[in-house]
Amino acid sequence: MPVPDRIERTLELAHPPAQVWAALTTAEGLGGWFGSHAEVDDLRPGGEVRVRWDDQGEFTLWLQVVEPPRRFAYTWAIEGLPAGDPRRTYVEFTLEPTGTGTRVTVVESGFAQLPDQLAGAYESNVDGWRTELAELAGYLDAAP
């Protein structure tokens, strides 16, 4: 069975788009929920962000779209491929204001390019987004 191409999740947050945007795009925000430490070199298309998880190492996010406070997208390496492999997945966050806060939709696509033996990378990211988005909500809920 081929690897599915995309993961899509939607999250309703009781926080304004500007606050959610900061959690997605600043070193402090990303380091608070998406990994244990983050460095944002240049928040613009073509810029890079490095995120480190203490138990998994460091990952580079190559920024593709930066449209405050509405769209944020990056590509990143696919776990299981050799270092330097040009194949990446594309992750896009879309923020929509609601009457009570912000609706966040995250889509990660590009898994269909993987060989079947790397289907575990897809499953790992399915679980990862479940965990990470819960951490995003917790991080925002704990913010002053």
Side-chain angles (χ1 to χ4, degrees):
M1 177 173 213
V3 178
D5 190 55
R6 63 191 271 140
I7 300 165
E8 183 171 342
R9 298 283 181 265
T10 300
L11 184 63
E12 300 286 338
L13 297 168
H15 306 278
Q19 187 178 4
V20 177
W21 179 261
L24 296 175
T25 62
T26 66
E28 178 184 348
L30 286 167
W33 70 275
F34 194 61
S36 52
H37 178 78
E39 295 175 18
V40 178
D41 284 343
D42 195 2
L43 190 64
R44 62 167 180 77
E48 293 183 2
V49 173
R50 280 175 298 292
V51 180
R52 184 176 63 241
W53 282 263
D54 290 336
D55 60 341
Q56 297 176 5
E58 186 173 282
F59 294 83
T60 299
L61 315 179
W62 292 278
L63 302 182
Q64 305 297 310
V65 177
V66 179
E67 297 175 359
R70 200 173 63 78
R71 284 180 60 221
F72 178 63
Y74 58 85
T75 60
W76 63 345
I78 301 169
E79 191 173 347
L81 292 177
D85 190 297
R87 291 175 285 184
R88 301 175 183 167
T89 58
Y90 179 83
V91 178
E92 182 169 296
F93 290 87
T94 304
L95 285 64
E96 299 174 59
T98 65
T100 58
T102 306
R103 178 177 301 112
V104 177
T105 301
V106 61
V107 176
E108 183 173 11
S109 60
F111 293 99
Q113 65 187 313
L114 296 177
D116 290 344
Q117 65 266 28
L118 287 178
Y122 172 83
E123 294 302 327
S124 176
N125 285 31
V126 167
D127 290 339
W129 284 118
R130 186 177 301 115
T131 300
E132 296 299 340
L133 292 176
E135 290 179 8
L136 171 61
Y139 171 79
L140 288 166
D141 289 346

